[in-house]
Amino acid sequence: MTVDSNPPLVHHFEKLLRHPDEISTPKRHDCHQQNGIMMEECQLPLIDLIGLNSHDERERAASAKAMCRASSEWGFFQVVNHGISPELLRKMRKEQELLFKTPFERKATCGLLNNSYRWGTPTATCPKQFSWSEAFHIPLTKISDQSCYGELVMTEFAAAMSKLARLLARILAENLSQQGGMLDDICNESTCFLRLNRYPVCPISAEMFGLVPHTDSDFLTILYQDQVGGLQLMKDSKWVAVRPNPDALIVNIGDLFQAWSNDVYKSVEHKVMANGKMERYSVAYFLCPSYDSLIGSCTEPSTYRKFTFEEYRKQVQEDVKQTGHKVGLPRFLQVKNAQL
């Protein structure tokens, strides 16, 4: 008997999937065809981090300036020569694939990796709220608690991603004339986490979301993805597909950095489209502060009122529960700016 590792996405959300015409259809543009849909494709700003180690001060400054400009204009950029070895990335992908091949019943019921397994969207009430994916959402402090499933590789990978994330965060903070170590002081392993994603082949519709449109509720995210494609972001009020780069990691600004920078850096809405022919893998590292950390803007007058990370998370969860989608930063605008 064949043991299925796939989550029962079709069966569990059968009622939602009877009405594929309700799924929001991506706008059609030239250049890139995905699942039969024409979609404009973009090359994210490319930052060569080798410039940060240059003895030439002008070269170091140019690399930092390019990163900050991309964070302001795009909210996304990609980095090469980032210091994480290709061998470690390959090992991480291999362990990830083995993990997701675990029988579904074991993934769902045996508390693997700190009971971090998630699949589909339990809160979805209509197709446009549904994500065709499965994931392990693993706090960094819990990785070393595991006695199997690539603990050593995952620990090494998380440490490398954390080091890179903190370097990038320091540069972005210093660009705003702030102490680079400020974010180091409030971001720790207790709230930072890895999210291991798998997007199974989707036979339902070419317009199905692998991951619904959203922004990230952190300071910044670093993504290691395969070459299947599917990631899209909002640029100039339209969705554009991100062209995979085998040599690069993708970085995006989160809501907390947008609030802290007083809207200098942008937390941009993004999504993943499901694929009807190939499964997709990615791993994301999320740089987050401690739950009691107070998030305030680094300049005045501030667009947003001060809030703790715990307060922000609870508001996001409540909005998703009540409305089916995340509202995010607009909930925390100063009263004079609020337009909800």
Side-chain angles (χ1 to χ4, degrees), residues 1 14 35 51 65 72 85 143 223 233 290 314 335 339:
M1 182 178 68
E14 188 177 24
N35 293 336
K65 183 178 180 181
S72 178
S85 72
I143 294 175
L223 181 73
L233 61 88
S290 58
K314 286 182 177 179
V335 174
Q339 294 182 344

Side-chain angles (χ1 to χ4, degrees), residues 175-231:
N175 178 62
L176 300 174
S177 301
Q178 301 298 309
Q179 296 257 346
M182 288 179 63
L183 301 186
D184 272 341
D185 294 339
I186 64 173
C187 294
N188 56 60
E189 289 192 354
S190 66
T191 47
C192 297
F193 61 92
L194 288 180
R195 183 179 174 93
L196 280 58
N197 302 299
R198 175 179 176 261
Y199 302 89
V201 172
C202 178
I204 302 300
S205 170
E207 290 96 35
M208 183 69 68
F209 294 130
L211 191 60
V212 297
H214 66 286
T215 58
D216 291 348
S217 301
D218 62 352
F219 273 106
L220 62 79
T221 305
I222 303 178
L223 181 73
Y224 168 47
Q225 64 169 354
D226 61 22
Q227 300 305 296
V228 173
L231 175 63

Side-chain angles (χ1 to χ4, degrees), residues 43-214:
Q43 181 77 40
L44 292 177
L46 182 65
I47 313 298
D48 189 342
L49 295 186
I50 201 168
L52 297 177
N53 298 317
S54 173
H55 296 297
D56 188 333
E57 183 176 342
R58 290 174 298 180
E59 188 174 348
R60 293 198 304 272
S63 294
K65 183 178 180 181
M67 185 189 311
C68 297
R69 182 170 61 248
S71 299
S72 178
E73 296 177 359
W74 284 77
F76 271 77
F77 55 92
Q78 53 187 337
V79 294
V80 293
N81 291 313
H82 42 67
I84 302 179
S85 72
E87 180 182 7
L88 178 56
L89 295 175
R90 284 193 296 269
K91 287 181 178 179
M92 184 66 229
R93 178 55 38 77
K94 181 179 179 181
E95 294 294 343
Q96 181 182 10
E97 291 177 358
L98 288 173
L99 175 60
F100 279 110
K101 287 178 181 177
T102 303
F104 170 72
E105 288 300 325
R106 177 166 169 74
K107 287 186 288 190
T109 62
C110 292
L112 299 182
L113 292 170
N114 193 48
N115 197 32
S116 62
Y117 181 64
R118 305 289 184 269
W119 63 279
T121 312
T123 59
T125 58
C126 61
K128 67 181 180 180
Q129 297 171 0
F130 175 66
S131 293
W132 190 272
S133 57
E134 58 178 335
F136 286 90
H137 185 106
I138 313 165
L140 298 194
T141 52
K142 299 299 182 180
I143 294 175
S144 59
D145 292 350
Q146 313 307 314
S147 58
C148 57
Y149 292 107
E151 171 206 339
L152 295 179
V153 172
M154 203 177 301
T155 299
E156 184 181 358
F157 178 83
M161 293 287 262
S162 178
K163 180 180 178 181
L164 177 59
R166 292 171 186 276
L167 169 64
L168 301 179
R170 284 196 296 273
I171 293 171
L172 292 170
E174 289 169 357
N175 178 62
L176 300 174
S177 301
Q178 301 298 309
Q179 296 257 346
M182 288 179 63
L183 301 186
D184 272 341
D185 294 339
I186 64 173
C187 294
N188 56 60
E189 289 192 354
S190 66
T191 47
C192 297
F193 61 92
L194 288 180
R195 183 179 174 93
L196 280 58
N197 302 299
R198 175 179 176 261
Y199 302 89
V201 172
C202 178
I204 302 300
S205 170
E207 290 96 35
M208 183 69 68
F209 294 130
L211 191 60
V212 297
H214 66 286

